[in-house]
Structures are given as C-alpha cells and as structure tokens.
Amino acid sequence: MDGHPHGETGDDSTLSGQPSGKPAKHNNSAGRDYGETPLVVTWEVSQACDLACDHCRAEANPDRCADELDLAEARTLFEQVARFSPQPFLVLSGGDPLKRPDIFELLETAVDVGLTPSVTPATTPLLDREVIERFAEIGVGRMALSLDGATAASHDTFRGEDGTYETAIRAAEIAREVDLSIQINTTVTAETATELPEIARIVDDLEAAMWEVFFLVPTGRGAELGQLSPDRAREVMEWLYEHSTEAPYRIITVEAPFYRRVASEVARENGGGRPRVGSTGAANGFVFVSHTGEVYPSGFLPLSAGNIREKPLPEIYRHAPLMKHLRQRESFVGPCGSCPFTTDCGGSRSRAYASTGNPFASDPLCPWAVAD
C-alpha cells in the first residue's frame, strides 16, 4: 500500500482542537461538528498493488478483488460525500489506485459531482508522466507520494522493490512541472526515525505543500517492524513541531494524536501561543471506506460500522454505534479516558486495538498514558 489512508489527524491550516467537554461536539475553527460531518473521507478504490511495503496494513497483492465498488456505486458514494456540509476532503487511496483501469473516470466523476479529489498512487512504473498530466487536467487537488527513506537504498528496502525512490522523486518533479500540488507521506518506525531530518530537507527541495508523518500501527506487515518507544516518539514529535515552525510546508501526523499535547507544551516552553494542529480522529472527523464499501473509523482500525451498499455513508458515520462510541472519548478505558487532553487527543484508536484488541483502550505509544 502506497500512501497512507490519512488515519487520525487533520490539516493544521483548518483545524484547531477546541475543548468542548462533550463527546460528539469536537469542532474545528470553521465550526465543523465532527459528530455530523467528517473533514476527510478516504476511499480505498482497490487493495491491488504491485509493491510489498513493510508497513502495509492490507498485505496488498497484485490482483484486484472482484467485489470492488463499481463506477456507479462510486458515483453514489461521491454524491453522498458532496452532500455533507461543510464538504469534506475526498482521498482516493489503495492499494494502488492506478490498478483500477477506470481510475480517470472515477476522478472525473468525483469532480463532476462537485468534489476536488486527492489521490495516493503507488510509486511503480504505472505512475508515469502521462498519468500525472492527466491528474492535473482532471482537476486533482493533491497527489500524495510516499518517501520512507532519505536514500534510494533505505526507501527501496522499506518499499520492497528497487526503483521506487527514483519513481517518487521523478513523479514529484513532474507534478511541479504541471502545477499539481503534492504531499509527501513518511512512515516512522524505530529504523526510519533517524532519517527524518534528511527526509524533511527532500520534502523542501520537492516543494511539497504538506508532509504527512505516519506513526506506525503494528498491524498487517507493520507488525513485524520495530516500534518507537513512547519516550522516543515524544522526542520525534518535539522535533517535528519545532521544525514545523520554520518549514515552508505544513506538517501533520497520522495515528499520533498526542502530537497536539507535545506541540502545546513545546510552544508554551518557547513562549508561544496555542499551536494550530490537527484535531480529527477515528470516526471523529475521519472516515474510511474500503474497496468493497465497508465503512471503518480508520484505515488501520478493521472494525466495520456498516456498508455503503446497505446504508448511506452519512447515516453510518453519524449513527452507527461504533462510530458514536469512538466519539465518546471520556468513556475510554485507562489514561485515555481520564486524561485532561482527551478532547483534543483521544489517543490512536487503531494502535489501541492493534495492541490490546480493544479500540477503547489507551494508546500504548503515548508517553503520558505509560507514565500514568
């Protein structure tokens, strides 16, 4: 799987966690009620992918599933997304979206119903100049490219195939030529963390609009990778926030919502005000639709809340018991339920589930949860 499914954070240009004290009223600065309207809807258009990435949650394979949502079902999904108010961001993810022969029709359909889709293609030979130029012509809002190492050797090893580093760099250069906005996605593990400063320099050189830093969830192939310790995760986040105050691109984290607490403490120590960082979470501003229509709170939390072939997405997002419970953060077990930052953070529900089997448990990567 190339490109992260944007699990548990939001764009810091639009989000600012506002403590409300009520479970289903986590609003951003624009007044969006995350109990009613997500900020991001990610659709996994296919699980098929020609890569074998170390962190893949789906253990993707080259073959497509016969039961993928078809073009007509996709249009229905897009229309439902477009009817949310305010309108969410739509991300077409995978697997590799380019494994769908109708990917351009899908993107054109999204634009036709009034959406501005983003896309996360895998860095394989399928991602050539013609494809990127077509993305720009259609009106794709942003293309996400994964960069998990600062060198071809480290990145290609992580991605499981030689040449993926060069493909990513070249795709970013072509996107710049055709004026297509890009973001770079990076997975943080115990092994990749030391390369973050150099990756950050590359993100700058590529003129990316955003750097999305994903803190690994131990599921799928990712269960075999080295995990950061809570203290090391906090060190990395402190560096990320300090870097974000000077970087020419935005930095967001995925599956690390306690980054908001880290950022607040670093800002306070440096004499600054409250930082504006993402405030969404699983089922709370974010929702993931699988290639077969199953609706999940997060791409890394494999508990279905329903299927869009049976119920509309807004109904599932707003009223499914699982989704509603995940928005009741004060009901979480352990430190995540009693933490004074639970409204702003809430911990990674995906990591809690992967580690304990309970999506309402505390996040084992959070240094405060461990300390408490």
Side-chain angles (χ1 to χ4, degrees), residues 1-2 49-56 59-62 122 124 155-161 164 221 225:
M1 179 187 65
D2 211 346
C49 185
D50 292 329
L51 300 179
C53 303
D54 284 353
H55 71 294
C56 183
E59 299 190 14
N61 63 73
T124 73
H155 173 82
D156 289 356
T157 297
F158 191 88
R159 288 280 149 182
E161 186 168 329
T164 55
R221 294 192 186 106
L225 298 179

Side-chain angles (χ1 to χ4, degrees), residues 217-239:
V217 173
T219 187
R221 294 192 186 106
E224 305 300 321
L225 298 179
Q227 309 291 311
L228 293 176
S229 69
D231 287 341
R232 178 61 175 142
R234 181 173 180 174
E235 290 175 358
V236 170
M237 290 182 195
E238 288 173 348
W239 178 84

Side-chain angles (χ1 to χ4, degrees), residues 127-159:
L127 184 63
D128 58 17
R129 175 179 287 275
E130 183 179 356
V131 165
I132 297 170
E133 289 177 345
R134 188 73 183 275
F135 285 163
E137 292 169 1
I138 290 171
V140 167
R142 184 167 294 169
M143 177 175 69
L145 299 167
S146 290
L147 194 62
D148 297 300
T151 66
S154 59
H155 173 82
D156 289 356
T157 297
F158 191 88
R159 288 280 149 182

Side-chain angles (χ1 to χ4, degrees), residues 282-283 286-290 293-298 301-327 360:
F286 180 88
V287 64
F288 181 89
V289 181
S290 82
E294 294 294 328
V295 178
Y296 299 107
S298 164
L301 180 52
L303 296 176
S304 177
N307 192 297
I308 64 166
R309 285 169 164 159
E310 300 170 359
K311 292 182 180 180
L313 178 63
E315 181 178 345
I316 296 172
Y317 178 80
R318 292 166 179 160
H319 304 301
L322 174 63
M323 308 294 269
K324 293 173 70 174
H325 193 172
L326 286 167
R327 292 192 283 268
F360 311 111

Side-chain angles (χ1 to χ4, degrees), residues 23-26 34-35 279-286 297 317 326-327 329 343:
K25 292 290 184 180
H26 299 292
Y34 289 151
S279 63
T280 63
N284 191 60
F286 180 88
Y317 178 80
L326 286 167
R327 292 192 283 268
R329 293 176 171 177
T343 299

